[in-house]
Amino acid sequence: MIANVRGDERPPDNALSGENNLLSNLNEKDYDKSIDLYTKAIELNPFVASYYGNRSFAYIKTEFYGYALADADKAIKLDPKYVKAYYRRATANMALGKFKLALKDFEAVTKSHPTDKDAQKKYNECNKIVTRIAFEKAISVEEKKKSVVDQINLSTISVESDYDGPRLENEEKVSLKFALDLMKAYKDQKKLHRKYAYTGKKFTVCGDVHGQFYDLMNIFELNGIPSADNPYLFNGDFVDRGSFSVECIFTLLTFKLLYPNHFFMSRGNHESETMNQMYGFDGEVKSKYTGQMATLFTEVYNLLPLSHCINNSILVMHGGLFSDDNVTLDDLRKIERNRQPPESGLMCELLWSDPQPQNGRSPSKRGVGIQFGPDVTKKFLEKNNLKYIIRSHEVKQAGYEVAHNGQCITVFSAPNYCDTMGNKGAFVTLKGGDLTPKFTSYEAVPHPNVRPMAYANSLLSLLA
């Protein structure tokens, strides 16, 4: 494959020609192999812009947006006329919600290739997003906005006589029967009525489910329905990418209402307004319900805990650890979480950071948060008198990974992520006084013929 990439590559008049055929000799499960091969090519000749540009593409496909940006920058430095590198950089910035930076690169491409219709379309779509954000900011008021909750009058919402879905007892109480009826209805591709949508001896930790409702149902079939005797913690990224995110979040919130002291939910990096607008949840909610409902979810996500401590021994968070060695559990308790995630600081790092095999810290492969080594984990655990951490946030082929001398566990619960990655999903069960983790891996199960990212922002689909 490397031999087919020429160092003097120049884009044709249509700057996107061959975009979707890049790495054509690899199937969608081999981006890690592609990264490895292009890395070896760069070691042999570090002055070929296309090597960096193509590796940037593979990094984007594996969601390592920080690395993708760095490679795109290097490709542009080596060859300022290498148009695909501008696309790579724009794509990575779009994925991180940095729309103004993406717009600059799209503008550069349209100026260099004024007849390229694809480039013009991407520029126009990105410009719409930047314009909309600027308009919303201009008309916003500094005082606290009235909550959507205060604008909803349930008494005015009637349940139609022909509605045959789950019903709340006495129109207000969540019961086990309601939860079971809800899951059955979702399996049959029915919808919960909007009135109910607004009301709302082991311990199992699950990672990202990303809108893969039928795989979520498989977890409950394998491990049992949540109950007071079968508690669960879902560790963020309940929505986005998968196209059954509404079904996932309502099922999880139903169990939270049913068992408030035995069912727990941590916020992930995708429980944010920007991610939801890009990766599908916002569009899905608006398609199945209303824009008001989408705004309500933003408010709900702002209230989710950022981490959980189990038996004063295990800290569970979605992303990872911190750029400061002196962080304590009290520092985490003091974080103001009722807001959109910032781009730096403790809240950002809890949601975005990743472990690395080597000691120390490194810039994030995602472009947000940090990467932290075994020594960082060890110091944090010793300072806070903890045994180990459990985090999610990353696809693992077995659905889980034990790293940092057993002190850092990753669990990812969305098998065959986005219907392309071929990974297993997993959950962790903790039993006994010493809370020894037990891992259960499982394959993906069939789902209705709705593709992942079906509700995602149209510009992302253009960049795929």
Side-chain angles (χ1 to χ4, degrees), residues 81-124:
K81 295 182 179 180
Y82 181 35
V83 176
K84 285 184 180 178
Y86 291 91
Y87 276 110
R88 308 283 183 260
R89 193 164 67 180
T91 302
N93 276 319
M94 284 291 298
L96 294 170
K98 299 179 180 179
F99 305 113
K100 287 185 178 180
L101 292 176
L103 186 63
K104 287 183 179 179
D105 282 334
F106 286 134
E107 183 178 19
V109 174
T110 56
K111 286 182 178 179
S112 65
H113 288 70
T115 62
D116 186 338
K117 294 182 179 179
D118 287 331
Q120 189 64 50
K121 185 175 183 179
K122 289 173 173 55
Y123 171 79
N124 291 339

Side-chain angles (χ1 to χ4, degrees), residues 238-460:
F238 323 117
V239 300
D240 279 342
R241 296 192 180 276
S243 295
F244 303 96
S245 292
V246 164
E247 290 79 358
C248 283
I249 191 60
F250 277 138
T251 299
L252 297 176
L253 289 175
T254 294
F255 281 114
K256 181 60 182 174
L257 291 171
L258 182 58
Y259 302 114
N261 298 317
H262 302 90
F263 192 88
F264 306 92
M265 299 168 67
S266 289
R267 190 175 190 173
N269 64 302
H270 275 266
E271 276 69 61
S272 78
E273 187 174 21
T274 299
M275 293 293 105
N276 292 167
Q277 289 175 350
M278 291 301 298
Y279 291 98
F281 182 61
D282 182 75
E284 183 180 344
V285 175
K286 290 176 179 176
S287 173
K288 295 178 179 178
Y289 290 101
T290 63
Q292 184 186 55
M293 179 80 77
T295 303
L296 178 59
F297 271 114
T298 297
E299 294 185 8
V300 171
Y301 292 153
N302 283 351
L303 299 175
L304 288 174
L306 300 176
S307 59
H308 291 79
C309 191
I310 302 173
N311 282 11
N312 297 314
S313 297
I314 305 166
L315 185 66
V316 185
M317 79 290 282
H318 181 73
L321 296 181
F322 315 101
S323 52
D324 183 349
D325 278 334
N326 296 311
V327 175
T328 66
L329 297 184
D330 280 340
D331 292 328
L332 303 186
R333 295 185 183 103
K334 294 174 184 176
I335 295 173
E336 172 51 54
R337 70 175 188 262
N338 188 7
R339 55 177 171 154
Q340 288 301 295
E343 293 188 6
S344 61
L346 296 184
M347 182 174 176
C348 170
E349 290 166 352
L350 277 169
L351 298 177
W352 281 95
S353 292
D354 296 289
Q356 64 181 21
Q358 70 273 24
N359 282 337
R361 295 178 174 89
S362 301
S364 171
K365 61 192 176 187
R366 302 175 189 270
V368 186
I370 65 159
Q371 291 180 198
F372 59 96
D375 57 330
V376 175
T377 301
K378 185 174 184 292
K379 288 178 184 177
F380 176 80
L381 295 176
E382 289 176 348
K383 185 174 184 64
N384 290 281
N385 196 28
L386 298 169
K387 290 185 177 180
Y388 58 91
I389 64 171
I390 299 176
R391 41 91 60 186
S392 302
H393 197 39
E394 287 185 284
V395 179
K396 299 297 179 184
Q397 282 306 112
Y400 70 94
E401 180 181 77
V402 181
H404 293 186
N405 303 308
Q407 294 184 315
C408 178
I409 292 172
T410 297
V411 58
F412 190 87
S413 301
N416 196 25
Y417 181 47
C418 290
D419 287 356
T420 61
M421 297 301 290
N423 61 291
K424 292 181 179 180
F427 53 82
V428 185
T429 51
L430 308 173
K431 292 184 178 181
D434 62 353
L435 297 173
T436 300
K438 176 187 175 184
F439 305 99
T440 301
S441 296
Y442 50 88
E443 302 281 356
V445 298
H447 63 75
N449 189 25
V450 182
R451 62 179 176 80
M453 303 280 283
Y455 301 95
N457 184 281
S458 59
L459 184 53
L460 267 190

Side-chain angles (χ1 to χ4, degrees), residues 144-161:
K144 185 177 180 180
K145 292 191 293 185
K146 188 176 181 181
S147 169
V148 174
V149 174
D150 298 327
Q151 302 173 40
I152 299 170
N153 185 354
L154 291 177
S155 65
T156 65
I157 303 176
S158 60
V159 180
E160 296 79 6
S161 59

